[in-house]
């Protein structure tokens, strides 16, 4: 049964961006001042203001925290480590590893009240450690040098894997003679073997009480794109705590390893085809006077009428399928000029290794202004009125980007800020498919195409149907912390003949969600609604409550049985929108310890408590989904496919906030020439 | 009853882009050659290859047709006019007007077979004329100088209004003393009056047998944005053939005309607020070696692996709400640097006026390459595998844009071509809302908010809830003219416990639409499908049929009663996708004569014939919808809101077609400096 083998490929991806603080300053030609705060977690570290062309490698050793939300510095991490390992628990331990070392953010009111020049609230770290097979959550007070243990109760799962876990696990099978024998029997030289650590998930007793990982292997012979050369049916289960091989499945020996031909994607390996595509002349977004945004104290970004704090996080984003890898941990350095345009700023992440020592993930996030040629707004008068008016404004945006990989796949996450107050959040999928081997080399050999559960991408290669779900944690503070969630339902209003020659009108019915269950939202094309987060106590001049709305675009909903273990663990995808009261212990939609968790600590279980959410500090969760039926164009590497959703001001401003931006004038634009090397 | 007054504001917008011919040349490192043709109508006229910074005004008098699909030239239009007006019908007429003069395209096989250097097929014009109150459709053979009348049968509607119709109609009320009296009684000086021609639609007998238009008026006092100052309840019905005022409705005299304050959007009128927004440094898409596309013989665009013919059309796009204005006729000149980036090429439209004389609509369409900083594809190896690989490619696209207004609203239509074969079709809405007056100045005066049928945008101004639907005519010829429409339905496959610890898998079930009714598609989030146009007789190396799929993103579906007259006339919105067999007489989803039509000649009625569509020359129709509940940010002019859909290759290529594009290198990028005036 072909289908059996792809069961691990359903990607339940959870991105809970947290702890981004946005302060949107209203167009100041309008009387009151209004803030839009919400919270996310991403990335930062940036020193220079305009314009540096040269990328300067930032030295982090002397970094100082200057804002309550600034991430732990190198010095702070070292201090956390020394406090932790001096603790009796660690001193007495046979083995331990730190699975997470991040800033423990101060309570929100302290952050909100803090102003530049104030001293920082006490600096604390949140640490998750495994010690002799047990999991501990600790708050470390850096000032007092104290460790406080947090009782998180009984939880079924394990914390995010460390990079060391993954590295060790992929090497473990090589210690097994049986494993080596079967690899060689399949005609693969051990030196050509590449193995990946795939989280086991949880399906029942078999995955309980031990921290497991599944190793799948590939042939590297004649290609660097080993992902396209799976050794089908060979799977090793490894215990990550004891580093033992527990089980080797060796099925599918009749399935050939797909050939290396056509699998290379590196530029250096494409020599023979470069010239076949009509070349594109150099094209670049140019800002000769430098970018318009500034980065203050390393993390506070100011652009147009936006101000926000940006910092990197090792977890934000959790890959559920493979348990937990950490979205930040797997965010690779961005490639200047290709991952981000020339005018981008790059920010490093500073994370802790398994032993607690800090390391730098360079260029993890980029920030740049984008101009794609789009129009911010326009109007010209038509010949009917005879007025000579033509007004148009170019649309310039600010993009914050990271690209996280989970080995094969890439999730390119863009937060795009518009000067009209809209935020567009876009997720692009690229990278390499997780494929499976098949005996088929042509579709005409397949009697029942459905049983492929995917598409034949090349000889002996099937791209399996799968989904991606990315859940965003949006701590909405629209002009104050207490907000309400309002469903604005569009309805047909029937009319009577004496009223109109029309049979129906459109009307909007507003209902405020009182409790969490009122805000478990499934999008409906044929029963459409808008979804607003409003501040009921702040009104515009003509009396509308100020608000932001979530605007969905293309998305997808899971088709799995609600009782299917992956769906229970990923139950946060059961609705596209949820709203919960702000609660510091409800930060990760899949639960604090996702790895092998049973699904008892997810957004879905929290929301079932049906707490009150009207005029409270609320968190809005949005899930962006993709169905992916692969096609041959995805082989051997996928052109980016993207989808997005927006947060859009709705009666947040008294009127269009970008009336005042000037049009472009020729005299302001740069003078450019090709460099000598290409002219 | 407030609702009564907004009944005309439901915008049923129909854009049937036709007669764009695309030839997508496959990546030539792959063996076979494959074409993707389809058909649309838009715009062109462009002379120069790289790089001209200066916009050159093209003189059209000497234009020559050089491709079978090239639009009628100035000389050809003049010849059509002289042939037509010498015809006995016109000589004997008391009055006549030419409502449409466009190329009658040669039969498709002739176009497909034609090669550069061949002589052109006979040049013909399609002419729609009103002569003494009757409508006539004619084919004019330019070579033979002959007029042939086409019997289009009984149709209820009228052809597209001429610009002259609209201009005359807006002046007609001024001849009425009663009208002038009521305007003055409302406190409006006649010199401050601006009136707009709004099509009447059709609701029954009242709108039959006469070509009617509704005139609505506004105060221009102290603002150019008169749209925000409606004279509520004053409506004049004019007969466009006799130029008589038939009816004056004068209700709502108690509703104040909204004030002029805050309504100006022109840059020159914003002096007081410029400095309040943090300025953005100059930013520009720069190509010092010029664009990479070429325009051959005025209309054939070649870029990357795309080749397509582009031409302007006066109708493509029809505004149903107001009957017919013509999308092309109302496309205003684009503003260089603001509507399109600096590196854009501009194309003029050459259209016929009501008397048949050609005129030029300059800069109607722009073509430019865009680079927004996006990623075409990427992959880097993670630390787990230890391989040093980081490959990323910038995404550069080619955009073809026009911006059509229907007086107040702007529809910015972008066709964006990617080098991976994807076409993204984006519609942006901007411009000015059609608002209505109200006695309310604050929401606290409103007891029943639903009865506003909209949002209070400013004192005495309501933005009414409305929809926009844009229907695209896509004549799909995927690697040949005969294609099939395939629904690829994603389903949950239940499993048994002995088969897997999973309860369900995902599978894809393909079904080929045999007849039109099989292809009447309503999108379903919870029963998802992909929709492919495939060539069943062309297979890839591993046996997949070559295809393109329609990928929807955000969209909306009409909530109106199916029997509501606007919905009957706009019945093409009853589904998001339809497929019909290619038929030259089924070109406009709302029917040939939309103005005051009863809805008996729409895509919905054609499709009910349920003709065979398997492995035939098929046309795919896609409708993009928007619900618009206005908000204060839309006042006094709307920031652009956009939505899109894509045509994406699916097993059209043997593999990723953009492996061969090179990354950016610093040495290839331009050297830019600010101009002296700004440094």
């Amino acid at each position: 049964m072909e289908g059996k083998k792809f069961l691990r490929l359903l990607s339940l991806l959870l991105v809970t961006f947290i702890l981004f603080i946005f302060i949107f300053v209203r167009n100041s030609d309008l009387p009151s001042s209004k803030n839009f705060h919400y919270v996310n977690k991403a990335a930062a570290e940036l020193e220079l203001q305009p314009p540096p062309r040269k990328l300067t490698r930032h030295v982090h050793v002397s970094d100082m925290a200057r804002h309550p939300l600034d991430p732990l510095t190198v010095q702070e991490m070292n201090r956390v480590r020394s406090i932790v390992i001096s603790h009796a628990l660690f001193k007495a331990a046979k083995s331990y590893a730190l699975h997470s070392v991040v800033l423990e953010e101060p309570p929100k009111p302290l952050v909100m009240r803090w102003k530049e020049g104030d001293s920082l609230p006490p600096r604390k770290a949140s640490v998750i450690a495994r010690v002799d097979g047990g999991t501990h959550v600790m708050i470390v007070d850096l000032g007092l040098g104290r460790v406080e243990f947090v009782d998180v109760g009984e939880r079924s799962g394990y914390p995010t894997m460390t990079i060391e876990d993954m590295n060790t696990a992929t090497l473990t099978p090589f210690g097994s003679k049986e494993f080596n024998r079967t690899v060689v029997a399949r005609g693969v030289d051990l030196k050509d073997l590449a193995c990946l650590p795939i989280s086991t998930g949880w399906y029942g007793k078999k995955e309980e009480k031990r921290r497991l990982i599944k190793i799948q292997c590939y042939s590297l012979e004649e290609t660097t794109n080993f992902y396209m050369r799976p050794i089908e049916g060979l799977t090793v289960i490894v215990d990550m705590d004891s580093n033992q091989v527990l089980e080797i499945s060796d099925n599918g020996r009749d399935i050939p390893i797909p050939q290396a031909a056509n699998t290379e994607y590196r530029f250096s390996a494409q020599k023979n085809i470069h010239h076949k595509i009509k070349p594109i002349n150099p094209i670049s977004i140019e800002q000769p006077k430098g970018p318009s945004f500034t980065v203050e104290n390393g993390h506070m970004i100011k652009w147009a009428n936006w101000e926000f704090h940006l910092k990197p996080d090792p977890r934000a984003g959790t890959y559920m399928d493979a348990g937990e890898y950490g979205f930040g941990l797997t965010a690779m350095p961005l490639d200047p000029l290709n991952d981000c345009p020339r005018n981008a700023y790059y920010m490093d992440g500073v994370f802790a290794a398994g032993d607690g020592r800090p390391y730098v993930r360079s260029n993890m996030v980029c920030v740049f202004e984008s101009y794609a040629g789009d129009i911010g707004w326009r109007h010209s008068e038509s010949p009917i009125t005879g007025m000579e008016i033509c007004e148009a404004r170019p649309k310039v945006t600010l993009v914050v980007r990271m690209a996280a990989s989970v080995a094969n796949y890439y999730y390119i996450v863009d937060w795009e800020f518009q000067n009209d107050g809209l935020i567009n959040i876009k997720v692009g999928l690229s990278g390499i498919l997780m494929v499976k081997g098949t005996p088929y080399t042509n579709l005409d050999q397949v009697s029942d195409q459905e049983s492929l559960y995917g598409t034949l991408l090349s000889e002996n290669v099937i791209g399996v149907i799968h989904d991606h779900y990315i859940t965003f944690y949006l701590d909405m503070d629209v002009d104050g912390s207490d907000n309400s969630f309002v469903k604005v339902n569009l309805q047909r209003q029937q009319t009577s003949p004496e009223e109109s020659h029309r049979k129906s009108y459109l009307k909007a019915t507003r209902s405020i969600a009182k409790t969490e269950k009122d805000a478990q939202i499934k999008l409906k094309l044929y029963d459409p609604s808008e979804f607003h987060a409003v501040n009921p106590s702040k009104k515009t001049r003509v009396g509308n409550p100020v608000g932001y709305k979530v605007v969905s675009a293309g998305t997808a909903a899971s088709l799995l049985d609600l009782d299917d273990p992956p769906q229970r663990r990923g139950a946060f995808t059961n609705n596209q929108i949820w709203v919960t009261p702000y609660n510091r212990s409800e930060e990760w939609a899949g639960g604090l310890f996702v790895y092998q968790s049973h699904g008892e600590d997810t957004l879905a279980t929290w929301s079932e408590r049906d707490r009150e959410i009207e005029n409270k500090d609320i968190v809005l969760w949005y899930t962006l989904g993709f169905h992916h039926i692969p096609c041959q164009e995805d082989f051997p590497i996928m052109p980016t496919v993207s989808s997005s959703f927006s947060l859009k001001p709705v009666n947040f401003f008294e009127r269009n906030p970008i009336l005042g931006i000037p049009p472009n004038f020729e005299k302001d634009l740069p003078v450019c020439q090709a460099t000598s090397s290409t002219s």
Side-chain angles (χ1 to χ4, degrees), chain A residues 272-427:
Chain A
N272 49 336
I273 67 165
H274 291 165
H275 60 286
K276 305 266 178 70
I277 295 182
K278 201 175 154 188
I280 288 174
N281 289 340
I283 182 167
S284 178
I285 301 174
E286 290 296 332
Q287 298 175 283
K289 298 177 91 174
S292 315
F293 63 95
T294 56
V295 183
E296 296 177 6
N297 293 335
H299 298 279
M300 186 58 74
I301 315 263
K302 297 185 178 177
W303 177 80
N305 26 14
W306 286 100
E307 295 183 20
F308 56 87
H309 187 273
L310 180 61
K311 77 160 190 261
D313 185 86
R315 175 164 178 177
T318 297
Y319 189 68
M320 284 272 306
D321 175 28
E324 284 201 38
Y325 295 85
F327 218 54
L329 291 180
T330 62
M332 293 296 107
L334 294 162
D335 183 28
L337 304 189
N338 290 300
D339 275 324
C340 311
R342 189 185 212 176
N343 55 343
Y345 282 85
Y346 293 87
M347 306 181 180
D348 301 342
V350 178
F351 300 141
D355 64 1
R357 292 183 205 276
Y359 67 92
V360 175
R361 171 58 44 84
S362 62
N363 291 6
M364 175 178 155
V365 171
C366 70
V367 182
F368 61 91
E369 283 166 286
S370 172
Y371 170 56
D374 286 336
I375 300 173
W377 58 264
R378 88 168 320 280
H379 180 73
S380 31
E381 280 296 314
S382 72
I384 306 170
T385 65
M387 292 160 66
E388 291 269 331
I389 291 179
C390 177
E391 297 275 341
R393 299 294 180 274
K395 176 186 274 187
V396 178
T397 63
L398 185 76
V399 178
V400 178
R401 171 173 298 163
M402 69 184 269
S405 98
V406 190
N408 56 316
Y409 233 84
Y410 263 88
Y411 298 89
I412 302 159
V413 183
D414 283 1
W415 286 70
E416 185 170 21
F417 299 86
Q418 298 187 181
N419 52 12
D420 63 3
L422 185 143
I423 307 174
N424 189 48
I425 298 125
K426 186 165 78 171
V427 177

Side-chain angles (χ1 to χ4, degrees), chain A residues 211-254:
Chain A
R211 207 161 61 95
L212 305 177
I213 190 133
K214 187 168 67 174
I215 308 296
Q216 285 187 336
C217 301
Y218 302 81
S219 170
L220 259 169
E221 196 185 359
E222 291 179 24
T223 185
T224 57
N225 190 354
F226 59 85
Y227 305 94
M228 292 298 118
R229 305 201 67 197
I231 302 174
E232 192 58 40
L234 176 61
T235 302
V236 183
I237 304 291
V238 168
D239 181 313
M240 280 194 284
D241 286 323
S242 66
N243 289 324
Q244 283 180 312
V245 170
L246 299 183
E247 185 186 318
I248 299 177
S249 302
D250 188 14
N251 306 310
R253 267 168 286 193
D254 55 325

Side-chain angles (χ1 to χ4, degrees), chain A residues 580-654:
Chain A
T580 56
Y582 175 79
N583 182 336
R584 293 189 67 147
S585 73
E586 296 174 1
E587 196 176 0
W588 308 101
L592 179 63
F593 301 142
V594 170
Y595 201 93
Q596 286 173 241
S597 70
H598 305 181
E600 82 285 14
D601 176 32
T602 72
L603 173 54
T605 53
W606 313 331
S607 170
E608 281 302 304
R609 295 165 62 189
D610 206 22
R611 292 161 292 185
E612 292 189 353
I613 53 172
E614 186 180 1
N615 205 6
K616 297 231 179 294
D617 188 359
I618 54 174
V619 175
L620 193 156
W621 307 77
Y622 183 82
T623 295
L624 183 62
F626 297 78
H627 295 305
H628 190 173
I629 304 177
C631 57
Q632 287 184 235
E633 286 80 359
D634 296 335
F635 179 94
I637 194 165
M638 296 184 297
T640 308
V641 168
S642 58
S643 192
S644 66
F645 72 100
S646 298
L647 295 170
K648 186 174 189 300
V650 56
N651 306 314
F652 183 79
F653 297 102
E654 293 290 350

